[in-house]
Amino acid sequence: MRDRDQLGLLRQQLIKRLRLEIYADDVKCSHGATAGQIDESALFYLRSRGIPEVTARELLIEAFLGEALDEISNESVRDLLRGKVGHWLARDI
């Protein structure tokens, strides 16, 4: 048998052995989320500098979300989401 034929046979055997089986009851999926309170010491710091509480809360939330938005490499998407966050903050706080 030629080397090329032997290599072909080996590939066929490997392909036959490589198999992935996923059963519906074995599938696991998870996701993460972050929730928590605003840091009271940071809020106090901003308030002690004369910043109104609503504005201080808005700044802290925007800073928190800004760190996540900075990770988005697509500038258009990042800017769109920053705008949505700004609109949400202006409406809900």
Side-chain angles (χ1 to χ4, degrees):
M1 207 181 273
R2 297 169 74 189
D3 289 338
R4 193 172 15 173
D5 294 336
Q6 287 178 340
L7 185 59
L9 268 172
L10 181 60
R11 280 189 196 150
Q12 288 175 355
Q13 289 174 349
L14 286 173
I15 291 170
K16 287 180 188 176
R17 291 186 186 161
L18 295 175
R19 184 173 70 188
L20 174 65
E21 294 181 19
I22 300 174
Y23 297 99
D25 58 348
D26 287 339
V27 176
K28 292 182 183 177
C29 182
S30 65
H31 68 280
T34 301
Q37 300 298 318
I38 289 179
D39 183 358
E40 291 299 321
S41 62
L43 185 60
F44 176 79
Y45 177 83
L46 292 172
R47 299 273 295 127
S48 69
R49 298 314 185 260
I51 297 173
E53 184 176 353
V54 172
T55 305
R57 288 184 181 277
E58 184 177 294
L59 287 170
L60 291 171
I61 292 169
E62 191 171 10
F64 175 79
L65 293 174
E67 288 182 19
L69 294 174
D70 287 342
E71 298 296 318
I72 299 172
S73 60
N74 185 313
E75 188 177 347
S76 299
V77 172
R78 186 175 56 242
D79 291 343
L80 174 72
L81 291 174
R82 278 193 200 284
K84 297 236 181 235
V85 166
H87 178 72
W88 173 74
L89 287 172
R91 189 188 66 194
D92 287 345
I93 292 184

